[in-house]
Amino acid sequence: MAALERTIPLPHAVHLSRTLAPLRHGRYDPTMWLREDAAWRATRTPEGPATVHLAVAGGRVVVRAWGPGGAWAVDAAPDLVGASDDTSGFRPRHPLVAELARRSPGLRIPRSQAVVEALVPTVLAQKVTGVEAARAYVAIVRAFGERAPGPAGDAGLRLPPCPVRLAAAPSCAFHPLGIERKRADTIRRLCGTAARVEEVTGVPPGLARRRLQALPGIGPWTAAEVALVSLGDADAVPLDDFHLPHQVSWALAGEARGDDTRMLELLAPFAGHRGRVLRHLAVAGIRAPRFGPRMPVRSIASI
């Protein structure tokens, strides 16, 4: 299978692995391989399945793509790597945020334009630990995904699950994968209206988040997580997160504990770029002090 190839000049620095990291769901995500300056990603485009390889060097990104959706993936590559991410209004006055932005000029907000692909693993992450969510996503890809187009498919890269297959599967098919009925039914409903869900890529991010929240099973946390990676929404703030308010309060005010109200208050000076600030804090590895036991990892499949 021949690859399509294009070299695209970048208008600003792009750190590929930091930019694309939110698109990978755990270290063992079989739909994406990520290195410091290169990435393999399998995706389902409006024109069909595709595998895309990205490599950044010398102010350019070299894109190669395989599969029926290869041409679409090549055209979408600049948005994917954050080439269209506008940081012109981001002038942080907070000393820590300013320093983090100085250290990571290549950290950009990606825009995958693949809403359902972002929704499925995000729904899996609702109310569970990151380990559980990553494990469930790997399981669902193994069960419902297919070999990715091109040579990477021979090496184990897999496509995300087809929405049609997920919508048609009974709830009981998800239980052995570590996914209880509530999350399974949310995924099945969303995938049953996948075409309608994808329409939010054509509206402003704020409106897109509101439309996503109108869907059953999608709250502000899920909508923001999805908008950040699929819509390039640099202002998305996930509410109702267990750790995030503490992280923001600790980083920006030296307060070990916070809530959503306090988090939004501290992020208010960064309006338009609040999600960008959260990405900088995450990349820097800043965490609030822990005072209690961690949430235990459960095994839904054994229940």
Side-chain angles (χ1 to χ4, degrees), residues 87-240:
T87 62
S88 59
F90 185 52
R91 297 290 184 269
R93 296 182 180 179
H94 190 286
L96 173 64
V97 178
E99 175 62 16
L100 295 180
R102 186 192 66 80
R103 291 182 194 173
S104 298
L107 175 61
R108 298 288 165 171
I109 303 300
R111 183 171 182 263
S112 70
Q113 305 179 64
V115 181
V116 174
E117 281 183 15
L119 270 170
V120 170
T122 306
V123 168
L124 292 176
Q126 292 176 347
K127 307 299 183 182
V128 300
T129 67
V131 172
E132 288 175 272
R135 187 171 58 194
Y137 186 62
V138 170
I140 206 172
V141 171
R142 298 290 184 199
F144 292 97
E146 306 120 59
R147 175 190 176 279
D154 296 333
L157 191 71
R158 294 183 68 81
L159 287 162
C162 172
V164 174
R165 291 191 64 194
L166 291 178
S171 297
C172 61
F174 294 81
H175 194 271
L177 309 179
I179 306 163
E180 85 294 338
R181 183 166 185 170
K182 183 178 180 180
R183 287 181 296 161
D185 285 347
T186 298
I187 289 170
R188 292 169 62 241
R189 283 194 302 267
L190 292 170
C191 289
T193 58
R196 181 182 174 189
V197 173
E198 295 291 349
E199 291 175 357
V200 300
T201 58
V203 301
L207 176 58
R209 273 184 270 129
R210 291 194 293 274
R211 288 189 179 180
L212 287 172
Q213 289 182 60
L215 299 170
I218 304 302
W221 181 85
T222 302
E225 290 282 347
V226 169
L228 181 74
V229 298
S230 65
L231 307 176
D233 186 355
D235 198 44
V237 180
L239 300 179
D240 299 328

Side-chain angles (χ1 to χ4, degrees), residues 29 49 80 192 273:
D29 182 350
L80 181 64
H273 298 275

Side-chain angles (χ1 to χ4, degrees), residues 20 79 87 106 202 205-206 211 249 275:
L20 297 184
D79 278 350
T87 62
R211 288 189 179 180
S249 296

